[in-house]
Amino acid sequence: KGEPNARHQAMADMLVAQGYAVVFPDSLTPRGESELCTQKIGTRRIDQGERRADALAALSWVAAQPWARADRIALLGWSHGGSAVLAATDASRRDVAGHPVKPAVAVAFYPGCAAALKSGYRPSVPLVLMLGETDDWTPPGPCVALGQAAGAEVNLYPDSYHDFDNPVGEVRLRKDVPNGVNPGQGVHAGRNPVAREQAYGRLRCRLAKAFDNESPACGVVP
């Protein structure tokens, strides 16, 4: 409908309150799509190739703005957008390795990590993963393995499903999603307020650290 959903708006509000500017690139609407969640993997017209190009273009655009500093940009995404964060920070990709603008830190909330793990992903920047321990949509296992192989920070939140940082709603079974751990049986998604606050706090710390404004509480992963 042309407006951020509750999760995106809450993140934007928190970041703006911290003094950051927020840009949301839209990979779907200009390509005639409104969502990808109900589409089977392998049948989607928009894949991580388009998403990577969009993220890299957004980095270039932000770096060129008079209100921005090219050395103080973070890249953040959720789910398919979290996988786009991985795609846009994969040093094994020529377009990523040669891109003139590098984010100071990349943060991916519950991305799909299986493809990146299989392809030998190598992070071009510091990477932070925010994962739900009970996520049955994009399971945490491949992301934990990816994080260990890539030297990334992995935050695994107990009793948390996909979309655990959503500020509204409750956990529900989405039978309209054909992918996930049990294809055809649906997936669970919904908030965990405790995990949300922990993830938000950790995000604030990592941004402060990346932008050379670290507070004493940012040194240890909770």
Side-chain angles (χ1 to χ4, degrees):
K1 298 179 180 180
E3 296 183 4
N5 63 26
R7 183 183 66 197
H8 294 164
Q9 188 65 60
M11 178 64 76
D13 291 344
M14 186 272 286
L15 292 174
V16 169
Q18 294 287 310
Y20 301 113
V22 179
V23 174
F24 286 111
D26 182 359
S27 292
L28 304 188
T29 307
R31 296 185 174 96
E33 294 283 5
S34 60
E35 56 85 28
L36 298 176
C37 296
T38 63
Q39 301 178 22
K40 289 184 178 181
I41 295 174
T43 66
R44 296 168 173 170
R45 294 190 303 110
I46 299 173
D47 61 22
Q48 293 305 340
E50 288 88 359
R51 298 281 263 169
R52 178 174 57 252
D54 291 347
L56 296 178
L59 289 173
S60 294
W61 184 86
V62 170
Q65 302 310 304
W67 44 262
R69 285 183 51 176
D71 62 339
R72 293 196 174 192
I73 301 174
L75 190 61
L76 185 151
W78 298 262
S79 194
H80 196 271
S83 298
V85 167
L86 299 180
T89 58
D90 187 350
S92 69
R93 299 283 314 186
R94 184 177 299 178
D95 51 352
V96 173
H99 198 266
V101 181
K102 296 288 192 298
V105 64
V107 183
F109 278 76
Y110 35 86
C113 293
L117 181 63
K118 184 178 180 180
S119 68
Y121 169 85
R122 292 187 293 111
S124 59
V125 300
L127 175 66
V128 180
L129 299 174
M130 304 288 197
L131 313 174
E133 188 177 48
T134 52
D135 194 330
D136 58 359
W137 191 340
T138 52
C143 290
V144 172
L146 179 76
Q148 293 173 342
E153 176 185 312
V154 178
N155 298 279
L156 188 61
Y157 296 102
D159 302 318
S160 297
Y161 290 101
H162 208 77
D163 201 29
F164 67 80
D165 57 318
N166 197 323
V168 299
E170 302 297 337
V171 174
R172 63 189 181 96
L173 177 64
R174 288 196 53 176
K175 293 186 177 181
D176 59 331
V177 176
N179 310 300
V181 175
N182 302 300
Q185 298 182 33
V187 299
H188 293 83
R191 68 173 181 161
N192 180 332
V194 173
R196 175 178 180 269
E197 290 306 311
Q198 291 177 346
Y200 269 35
R202 189 61 193 163
L203 174 62
R204 289 191 294 268
C205 283
R206 283 310 307 251
L207 292 178
K209 179 179 179 180
F211 301 149
D212 300 322
N213 188 30
E214 184 174 4
S215 71
C218 294
V220 178
V221 178

